[in-house]
């Protein structure tokens, strides 16, 4: 091995990076010791398991912090082993690492006041303090032991770093030297990319704060899994959550009605089954496009079309976000996402009143199904925050023969697994399934080649396949005893691969179908009013006769309460509220545009011809944004 060029340098590099892992582990243990009354870990095995899962978050942090150090250490240069170059690397290593490492120690104390790892939002708060020096001195005196521990760790870290040195070698710049150097550079770069993302799987996006909740049985454990530098890095450019003071509370309560209470229906306990269909835009379903003016229009969902004839459907429905995880938070918790997702912000780890928590309180068994590898899309993490009793993913399905090779289990077999699992549960139950197959790379099982129209976009045959999967699910579910006492909901997370010109218009982007079906056809008809994903949660509570107060920014779609139909979303770098006859675009402080409701491509701004209805719409927009920011930042989503 000693004949491999630069082998000794690579050994020392791994040693130095290994030291970072060691001291991040020490910081995690100290963090727990300081906050053991707040973090519920009941056994040594749980402690070890959670610490192990924390290594993934440490990896991301360590690679981010040491990226320049790693690159300079492995670049194919002939000066790498020289004393001056190694001295430069020493200072680079400790300036970057110790600066980041400091954040962990701040949270030894600060966590007691926030119950969260510090994030970019914490730094923003500090910026507003005018007495930073006095605060620092008070902290230094009051918590001298934290400073002592930090400097002790730093001293030991530096001591251990110096124990293993790179010996100077005069490299000969030959082909072997450069070949090995370049190959090692490419390999280590690839490993670093995987480390920053969290893994190499196509079906997952880079890990964020939400993913720490995948491994926990108590919400507080997520902060043990995390480290503070990771929390700051991942929220550095995502904190557009700022409090605003635009209207008074009376205006919020009267125009927005953030706390709802219904007395419209007798109290019942039907099962509730929600399908959130991946990329299943409104464009693809004929029943939602009866008024299409395009003579060439064609839908790709014959079963959903037939189901819609016996359902209550909303043909003017919108997504409250533009990513899959946005759909989960909007549909189940009534929390929309605007410029940045609530779930990737500094604030998702808090107690959230949602459809899940309310139904659990009513004695429902709650479960979430997603055929992708567990943790994909952030669903498992957010599901744990919402408090689902059960999570069923690719792991629980446990048959890779039905894996599509990219994202997860094909829809048809997973939908059958969904039916089989529900049929073994005690009623009442609430279950949500997030589909997989209508996703890039837009393929279907080989056995169905040619069965579904390929249409004009690659996704069209996948829409047909998921539609067929739904048909097979309902065919099997009809045979089950729980079927007749169930409310089914079909909605998409967002749309994708638009084909028809009408859906390219700004106000038709991310339009989704919203459908409620019950076998007794209690809810049936076509409604053309404004509707949105966040309306599903209050609508279901109204349907089952839930009569206690609950928090909701949406409205019941079957109630004649005083909340006027509306949609709140973020598009074209502005907030948008649609209600009544107008669409209001809003920059966060004031209205910057008003458009007729049919002006879907926002061509004719009427702001210089304001009416009383426009003024009221602007006030509603201000009330929504103010209450949204305040409740999220102040952690008031549980009431």
């Amino acid at each position: 091995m000693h004949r491999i060029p630069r082998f000794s340098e690579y050994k020392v590099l791994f040693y130095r990076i290994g030291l970072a892992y060691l001291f991040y582990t020490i910081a995690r243990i100290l963090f727990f010791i300081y906050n053991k009354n707040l973090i519920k870990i009941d056994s040594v095995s749980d402690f070890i398991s959670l610490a192990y899962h924390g290594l993934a978050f440490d990896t991301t942090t360590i690679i981010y912090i040491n990226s320049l150090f790693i690159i300079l250490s492995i670049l194919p240069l002939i000066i790498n082993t020289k004393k001056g170059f190694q001295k430069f690397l020493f200072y680079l290593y400790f300036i970057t690492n110790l600066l980041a490492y400091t954040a962990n120690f701040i949270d030894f104390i600060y966590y007691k006041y926030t119950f969260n790892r510090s994030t970019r939002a914490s730094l923003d708060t500090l910026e507003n303090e005018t007495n930073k020096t006095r605060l620092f001195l008070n902290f230094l005196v009051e918590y001298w032991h934290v400073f002592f521990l930090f400097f002790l760790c730093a001293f030991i870290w530096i001591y251990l770093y110096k124990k293993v040195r790179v010996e100077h070698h005069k490299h000969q710049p030959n082909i072997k030297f450069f070949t090995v150097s370049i190959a090692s550079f490419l390999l280590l770069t690839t490993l670093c990319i995987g480390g920053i993302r969290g893994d190499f799987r196509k079906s997952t996006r880079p890990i964020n704060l939400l993913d720490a909740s995948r491994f926990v049985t108590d919400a507080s454990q997520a902060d043990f899994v995390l480290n503070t530098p990771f929390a700051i890095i991942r929220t550095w450019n995502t904190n557009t959550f700022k409090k605003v003071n635009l209207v008074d509370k009376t205006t919020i309560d009267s125009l927005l009605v953030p706390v709802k209470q219904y007395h419209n229906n007798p109290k019942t306990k039907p099962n509730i089954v929600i399908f959130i269909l991946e990329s299943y835009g409104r464009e693809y379903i004929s029943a939602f496009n009866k008024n299409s003016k395009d003579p060439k229009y064609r839908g790709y969902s014959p079963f959903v079309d037939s189901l819609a004839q016996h359902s209550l459907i909303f043909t003017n429905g919108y997504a409250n976000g533009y990513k899959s995880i946005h759909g989960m938070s909007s549909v189940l918790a009534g929390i929309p996402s605007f410029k940045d997702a609530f779930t990737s912000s500094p604030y998702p780890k808090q107690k959230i009143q949602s459809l899940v928590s309310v139904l659990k309180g009513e004695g429902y068994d709650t479960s979430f199904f997603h055929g992708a590898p567990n943790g994909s899309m952030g669903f498992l993490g957010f599901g744990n925050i919402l408090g689902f009793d059960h999570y069923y993913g690719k792991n629980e399905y446990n048959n890779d023969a039905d894996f599509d090779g990219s994202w997860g289990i094909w829809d048809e077999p997973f939908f059958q697994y969904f039916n089989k699992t529900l049929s073994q549960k005690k009623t009442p139950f609430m279950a949500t399934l997030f589909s997989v197959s209508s996703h890039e790379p837009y393929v279907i099982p080989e056995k169905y080649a040619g069965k579904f129209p390929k249409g004009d976009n690659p996704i069209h045959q996948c829409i047909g396949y998921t539609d067929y999967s739904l048909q097979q699910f309902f065919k099997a579910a009809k045979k089950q005893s729980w079927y007749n006492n169930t409310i089914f909901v079909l909605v998409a997370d967002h749309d994708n691969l638009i084909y028809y010109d009408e859906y390219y218009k700004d106000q038709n982007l991310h339009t989704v179908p919203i459908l409620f079906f019950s076998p007794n056809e209690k809810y049936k008809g076509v409604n053309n009013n404004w509707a949105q994903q966040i309306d599903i949660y209050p609508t279901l509570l109204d349907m089952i006769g839930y009569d206690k107060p609950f928090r909701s920014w949406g409205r019941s779609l079957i109630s004649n309460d005083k909340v006027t139909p509306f949609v709140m979303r973020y598009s074209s770098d502005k907030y948008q509220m649609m209600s009544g006859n107008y669409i209001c675009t809003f920059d966060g402080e004031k209205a910057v545009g008003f458009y007729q409701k049919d002006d879907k491509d926002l061509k004719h701004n009427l702001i210089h011809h304001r009416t009383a209805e426009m003024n009221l719409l602007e006030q509603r927009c201000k009330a929504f944004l103010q209450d949204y920011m305040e409740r999220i930042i102040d952690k008031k989503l549980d009431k």
Side-chain angles (χ1 to χ4, degrees), residues 29 236 342 498 534 568:
I29 295 170
W236 191 258
F342 161 72
I498 295 168
I534 63 173
M568 185 73 174

Side-chain angles (χ1 to χ4, degrees), residues 256-269:
L256 188 60
V257 194
V259 177
K260 309 285 193 298
Q261 189 170 16
Y262 297 124
H263 300 281
N264 302 317
N265 294 293
K267 196 163 188 176
T268 57
K269 288 189 176 182

Side-chain angles (χ1 to χ4, degrees), residues 1 10 23 43 202 270 392 411 427 515 518 562 564 572-573 586 611:
M1 296 296 287
Y10 299 141
F23 283 93
S43 67
K202 182 179 182 179
Y392 300 94
D411 279 352
T427 58
L515 177 154
S518 57
K562 56 184 178 180
T564 306
S572 301
D573 204 33
F586 185 76
T611 65

Side-chain angles (χ1 to χ4, degrees), residues 402-417:
D402 294 327
F403 180 54
D404 65 9
S406 297
W407 288 100
I409 305 302
W410 294 111
D411 279 352
E412 183 194 5
F414 197 75
F415 285 17
Q416 292 302 309
Y417 169 74

